[in-house]
Amino acid sequence: MPDEESSPDDLTTIRSGRKFEQGYRLDASDAGEFLIELGEQLRDNDELTLVGDEWELPFAFGEPIELEIDFDGVGEPELEIEMELPGRTDDKAPDIA
């Protein structure tokens, strides 16, 4: 979700070899917009780019994508939806001689 106030030159690019985590608490409308934009990138490309206020994270993904749905209806009901995208490699199989 690009931030209109940041220019690409101001952003730190998160690359392979780094560990990065960022959490957000959003209202349903903002979360829905994020998921729509994420879904469009997944549908239309084989790479997606996430952008925060000070960072961008380009990610070339492979398949299959793992989707997990976890519902806990005990006490305060909670629904968790998790998606795990494997990284894509450019490795090729070796030749057979």
Side-chain angles (χ1 to χ4, degrees), residues 4-92:
E4 287 85 26
E5 296 177 16
S6 297
S7 73
D9 296 333
D10 297 337
L11 302 176
T12 299
T13 301
I14 311 300
R15 298 267 182 220
S16 292
R18 286 193 58 190
K19 187 171 183 169
F20 176 78
E21 185 173 330
Q22 180 73 48
Y24 295 91
R25 292 184 60 85
L26 306 173
D27 62 28
S29 176
D30 288 341
E33 286 297 319
F34 173 80
L35 290 172
I36 289 168
E37 290 179 25
L38 179 64
E40 289 173 346
Q41 284 192 50
L42 288 170
R43 179 193 64 209
D44 298 340
N45 303 298
D46 58 1
E47 184 171 322
L48 59 88
T49 301
L50 302 175
V51 179
D53 290 338
E54 299 176 356
W55 55 268
E56 69 176 354
L57 195 163
F59 186 73
F61 60 90
E63 293 190 28
I65 293 172
E66 184 177 322
L67 182 63
E68 183 177 321
I69 299 170
D70 184 11
F71 173 69
D72 184 355
V74 178
E76 292 186 38
E78 181 177 88
L79 175 63
E80 182 178 333
I81 302 170
E82 181 178 323
M83 184 172 55
E84 190 170 319
L85 293 91
R88 184 180 71 229
T89 66
D90 293 327
D91 291 344
K92 303 221 179 325

